[in-house]
Amino acid sequence: AQTVTQSQPEMSVQEAETVTLSCTYDTSESDYYLFWYKQPPSRQMILVIRQEAYKQQNATENRFSVNFQKAAKSFSLKISDSQLGDAAMYFCAYSGGSNYKLTFGKGTLLTVNP
Amino acid sequence: NAGVTQTPKFRILKIGQSMTLQCTQDMNHNYMYWYRQDPGMGLKLIYYSVGAGITDKGEVPNGYNVSRSTTEDFPLRLELAAPSQTSVYFCASSWGTADKEKLFFGSGTQLSVL
């Protein structure tokens, strides 16, 4: 079974600084997808970024980028120029196989200090 | 375009009561999912469906039932509610194709069983 591990229950960052959230996963599949979701206090799940395993190039979405290390099964999220609105719970998630259901990590609570 | 709509947003049940959480999507997605999120935890898959008439168990199906009579609707039934079912429930849907893979989430249902 696939597992997703987020080893940092909480992280904090100063506004305008950079922070990296860690995620590791375990799978025997060769074709899969990895995601970072943001959950603000509103409870809404918001897709931040996605990475296809077959792509070697790291995904980037504006201030958000990933460091995807396939051999190490590592998928970290870097947030640059952190903003107060980035404060939220961040979930790493894995999707593989033919039914695309997601397996989530336990989340990392990010606090942004002004 | 409403996306994924869940009702109700909040509900309190007494032990042993039953209820149905409603979920509907207007994006013609084949795949639909029910997740639960316990405090401080990631989302765990309860049931999923890859199309009308087809459902399958996820990681934590005990105490729940689902049906998928139409593409749009995927209700989750709780029979004999127990305190362990106190959680936030999320419905989600997706295309189920590799090049478009992304989950669209509803806004969640906060359920308390007392």
Side-chain angles (χ1 to χ4, degrees), chain B residues 5-79:
Chain B
T5 303
Q6 286 182 242
T7 56
K9 294 190 182 302
F10 302 93
R11 184 71 184 270
I12 297 175
L13 284 181
K14 294 182 179 179
I15 295 172
Q17 286 186 320
S18 301
M19 77 162 294
T20 299
L21 280 65
Q22 301 291 344
C23 176
T24 187
Q25 52 92 8
D26 61 1
M27 297 172 282
N28 203 31
H29 285 168
N30 288 322
Y31 287 57
M32 295 189 74
Y33 313 82
W34 274 106
Y35 287 89
R36 61 176 285 174
Q37 183 181 23
D38 299 328
M41 302 292 287
L43 280 69
K44 292 187 177 181
L45 184 65
I46 304 171
Y47 271 95
Y48 67 99
S49 169
V50 301
I54 305 169
T55 63
D56 207 349
K57 296 178 181 179
E59 184 181 359
V60 289
N62 291 341
Y64 307 94
N65 280 300
V66 294
S67 60
R68 185 93 183 272
S69 57
T70 66
T71 299
E72 295 78 18
D73 300 310
F74 191 43
L76 178 71
R77 177 81 175 165
L78 279 72
E79 304 282 1

Side-chain angles (χ1 to χ4, degrees), chain A residues 88-108:
Chain A
M89 182 73 84
Y90 286 82
F91 291 99
C92 179
Y94 166 99
S95 173
S98 60
N99 52 35
Y100 302 104
K101 59 184 187 289
L102 291 183
T103 299
F104 287 84
K106 292 184 178 182
T108 296

